[in-house]
Amino acid sequence: QPWLKREDDISKKPVKLHQTDILMSREMSQCIGCLACISICPAIKGAWDLFNGPMLQTLTAKAAFNPMDTSNRVLQAIRSGSFNCTQCGACWEVCPKKIQIPEKAIGHMKVLFAEQEPDGFAKEVGRKIKAHKNPFGRAEARHQWAEGLNLPLAGRVLFHAGCLPSYEFPKTLQSAIRLLRKVGIDPVYFADDEICCGEPLLRLGNEKEFIKNATDFVELCRIRGVKEVITPCAEGYRAFTKDYPRYLKGADLPAFKHLSQVLAEHSTDLLMKENVMEGLKITYQDPCRLGRDSGIYEEPRSLIQLVPGIEFVEMKKNREDAVCCGAGGGVKLTNSAFAQWMGTNRMHMAKETGSSVLITACPWCDRNLRDTLEGGDGIEVKNIIDFLSDALKE
Ligand code: SF4
Ligand code: SF4
């Protein structure tokens, strides 16, 4: 029912609405039904039954945000697959009305759902982060990758390893420290005191826990004298740079940088071996949070091209038009099979370039795209950190 479901008893006085009560609903009303968002959405191609797409989610949100509507629109939206949207931003990019579909039509509905449904994904991830400081609920120490590296616990520049790399990509993190030291940065690392950036909490709608978590993160930085935070994760980077300022208004935040920005700034210090990757054809996956969300397109590309002898080729859809790997929006945590279905579609596009290596600058893309590979597949997925470290002179 895309129309308003009003109170049945019309003998009541007319409902008076203040303009501010319907601001969100009015934004959704801007939709002109052009279908551009549907034409681009990677989560509905071939799987309409699992997600009804951005336009219908926008129309549902329009009714949900109108205080006169009496039906449970939030539940309708969730049942129509809101949790299968990766919040990749492709719909926003093409929407002629620039409606904030990922953040409002989808993201805010998840927040309302979390308030309505106390035992949903949002609460579950919240409990795991509270108990173990990571969204997977893993109880083992997260610092093991850093053993022997002698990273200090307090100081000006922090390396925030992040949850997924800490547990699944220890070698990548060791390579990140090697690269940072090559460019003259010896960072601080919080080891087992490290806190999740909180991004999965927000994407799954647990706004309250996100704010608490972010507050704790910033306070720990203050206590340890941190002024700058370097992250190897695109999802974390988006949370730090866009969501922390939005939710912690007025807080004294450290500066946040993605590792690729830091390395690109110091690229003349990264001396590469000759001949190690001669003739290798390479393509690059723009992580949605780094690309569309943050406009960081050139730094990773310039770093890849530091390696002598490689042939760099773009996928047909790149930069603003890049297609999501499928892991974002909490989808990798809540529906890994669906994330892999999306990832497989993206891998086909990478293979079309004839490349033997697909590089990305986010551990979530790395994880999900690797998960689509079965016994080789003619293409290798690599984090840009590992790629650079493999070519770096001793
Ligand atoms: S954010 Fe991405 S996945 Fe979600 S509706 Fe928009 S285009 Fe589809
Ligand atoms: S692109 Fe924007 S205006 Fe067009 S159908 Fe989608 S939400 Fe509506």
Side-chain angles (χ1 to χ4, degrees):
Q1 294 173 341
W3 56 86
L4 194 75
K5 189 166 183 298
R6 65 178 193 184
E7 289 281 359
D8 285 340
D9 181 4
I10 56 167
S11 63
K12 286 184 191 169
K13 285 180 187 168
V15 180
K16 279 187 188 161
L17 275 183
H18 193 272
Q19 212 184 359
T20 52
D21 296 338
I22 52 163
L23 275 181
M24 291 264 280
S25 184
R26 277 186 61 188
E27 182 178 342
M28 302 300 121
S29 303
Q30 303 290 311
C31 175
I32 52 170
C34 70
L35 308 179
C37 54
I38 290 182
S39 73
I40 203 85
C41 175
I44 51 174
K45 282 175 187 153
W48 281 88
D49 49 330
L50 295 174
F51 178 48
N52 68 350
M55 189 182 81
L56 292 176
Q57 291 276 324
T58 300
L59 292 177
T60 309
K62 173 184 156 184
F65 300 154
N66 188 321
M68 288 189 297
D69 188 69
T70 60
S71 64
N72 192 339
R73 303 291 179 177
V74 173
L75 202 57
Q76 283 172 25
I78 299 301
R79 284 184 178 149
S80 303
S82 315
F83 279 100
N84 285 332
C85 159
T86 59
Q87 294 181 249
C88 72
C91 50
W92 171 84
E93 187 71 40
V94 297
C95 176
K97 294 294 183 179
K98 281 286 175 253
I99 298 171
Q100 301 274 354
I101 305 167
E103 270 177 27
K104 293 185 182 162
I106 311 266
H108 192 65
M109 292 289 266
K110 287 185 190 170
V111 172
L112 296 176
F113 181 66
E115 286 165 8
Q116 208 178 91
E117 177 52 69
D119 288 320
F121 295 132
K123 286 277 160 28
E124 189 189 321
V125 169
R127 274 193 293 271
K128 286 176 178 169
I129 290 184
K130 233 182 196 168
H132 302 294
K133 297 187 191 143
N134 69 77
F136 320 113
R138 290 179 67 161
E140 65 268 35
R142 65 189 292 149
H143 75 275
Q144 291 172 33
W145 67 270
E147 268 168 23
L149 291 176
N150 301 318
L151 295 165
L153 286 165
R156 208 186 69 79
V157 181
L158 172 73
F159 179 70
H160 184 258
C163 301
L164 183 64
S166 295
Y167 290 106
E168 300 201 14
F169 298 112
K171 186 181 154 288
T172 305
L173 293 177
Q174 289 156 5
S175 298
I177 299 300
R178 179 169 174 244
L179 289 162
L180 282 172
R181 285 179 169 165
K182 274 279 177 211
V183 302
I185 298 170
D186 206 2
V188 170
Y189 169 56
F190 287 165
D192 284 347
D193 294 334
E194 184 176 273
I195 296 171
C196 173
C197 67
E199 195 269 352
L201 288 168
L202 195 57
R203 299 297 157 245
L204 296 174
N206 197 336
E207 216 173 50
K208 280 188 198 139
E209 282 300 323
F210 172 78
I211 294 169
K212 269 193 226 155
N213 191 83
T215 306
D216 290 349
F217 184 96
V218 173
E219 178 60 8
L220 188 58
C221 287
R222 190 191 63 76
I223 293 168
R224 304 260 176 115
V226 171
K227 300 288 178 213
E228 185 178 315
V229 178
I230 300 173
T231 171
C233 178
E235 299 278 337
Y237 179 76
R238 145 81 209 213
F240 289 140
T241 54
K242 297 268 192 300
D243 301 314
Y244 276 41
R246 189 154 61 99
Y247 285 96
L248 305 182
K249 283 202 174 72
D252 186 13
L253 301 177
F256 295 106
K257 283 188 176 166
H258 187 265
L259 181 65
S260 64
Q261 291 177 297
V262 177
L263 296 178
E265 277 167 21
H266 296 86
S267 61
T268 49
D269 296 332
L270 294 171
L271 301 179
M272 299 294 169
K273 293 177 204 157
E274 301 289 332
N275 303 326
V276 279
M277 297 192 189
E278 194 66 38
L280 209 61
K281 206 167 179 182
I282 286 173
T283 192
Y284 174 68
Q285 162 69 2
D286 286 283
C288 302
R289 307 280 169 254
L290 208 57
R292 263 190 300 273
D293 277 5
S294 313
I296 299 177
Y297 296 113
E298 300 314 321
E299 290 88 337
R301 286 174 169 80
S302 69
L303 288 168
I304 290 168
Q305 289 173 87
L306 287 177
V307 178
I310 61 147
E311 184 189 348
F312 181 69
V313 280
E314 293 283 4
M315 283 187 264
K316 273 190 203 138
K317 287 183 167 266
N318 61 72
R319 294 183 172 82
E320 293 86 353
D321 298 332
V323 176
C324 179
C325 75
V331 178
K332 189 67 182 164
L333 290 170
T334 57
N335 192 350
S336 186
F338 190 76
Q340 279 184 54
W341 168 77
M342 286 177 70
T344 304
N345 292 338
R346 189 52 168 159
M347 286 303 284
H348 286 150
M349 298 177 208
K351 283 185 217 161
E352 274 170 15
T353 65
S355 298
S356 49
V357 184
L358 168 62
I359 291 178
T360 182
C362 179
W364 289 90
C365 302
D366 191 2
R367 174 74 281 151
N368 196 47
L369 294 171
R370 278 183 206 223
D371 287 348
T372 68
L373 301 173
E374 286 168 9
D377 225 0
I379 188 163
E380 185 187 0
V381 178
K382 241 183 182 178
N383 192 306
I384 191 167
I385 299 167
D386 296 309
F387 173 74
L388 293 173
S389 180
D390 286 351
L392 195 68
K393 278 187 182 166
E394 288 310 317

